Amino acid sequence: MVELTVQKGLKLAVKAHQEGKIKEAEDLYRAIIKADPENLDARHNLGVLLVRLNKLEEALSLFELVVSKNSQMGQFWLSYIDCLTKLSLETEAEIALKSA
């Protein structure tokens, strides 16, 4: 089997995610993070998927990491604030909004 590059793996994960193949997408995102722990796109996308699965605490930890590593990415902040709101952490969401 040909070893996939992280970028190819991320494209496959995003495609699976968009097609509703949730388990496949989750497995791919986790494999990418294992191979490349600094891959913020995979961490963010896994967080988005976990929100959809109502695994909000795990998603929140991913979002906290990605916004701390790249505070310039607007989408990271939107996902983080959305997750805080879903967890009824309004004060934290307001603080995050001001930080964004």
Side-chain angles (χ1 to χ4, degrees):
M1 184 172 145
V2 176
E3 191 172 322
L4 295 175
T5 66
V6 170
Q7 280 301 82
K8 286 182 184 176
L10 188 57
K11 285 181 183 179
L12 289 173
V14 169
K15 185 173 189 255
H17 194 164
Q18 291 171 337
E19 292 175 352
K21 299 175 183 173
I22 301 305
K23 179 67 175 140
E24 181 182 338
E26 182 179 359
D27 291 345
L28 286 165
Y29 288 136
R30 290 188 189 280
I32 292 162
I33 292 166
K34 187 174 180 181
D36 180 10
E38 296 299 313
N39 192 304
L40 300 181
D41 290 326
R43 286 183 181 276
H44 174 259
N45 290 353
L46 177 59
V48 171
L49 187 144
L50 292 172
V51 166
R52 182 174 171 184
L53 297 174
N54 205 34
K55 296 180 180 179
L56 299 175
E57 289 82 11
E58 186 179 357
L60 183 62
S61 67
L62 290 165
F63 294 143
E64 287 173 339
L65 180 90
V66 298
V67 297
S68 72
K69 298 277 186 178
N70 184 347
S71 63
Q72 303 304 308
M73 183 65 80
Q75 186 58 51
F76 291 175
W77 282 104
L78 289 173
S79 297
Y80 177 48
I81 293 166
D82 178 60
C83 189
L84 287 167
T85 303
K86 286 182 170 140
L87 284 164
S88 298
L89 299 171
E90 287 84 13
T91 302
E92 291 85 347
E94 286 179 30
I95 293 167
L97 185 58
K98 290 175 184 173
S99 296

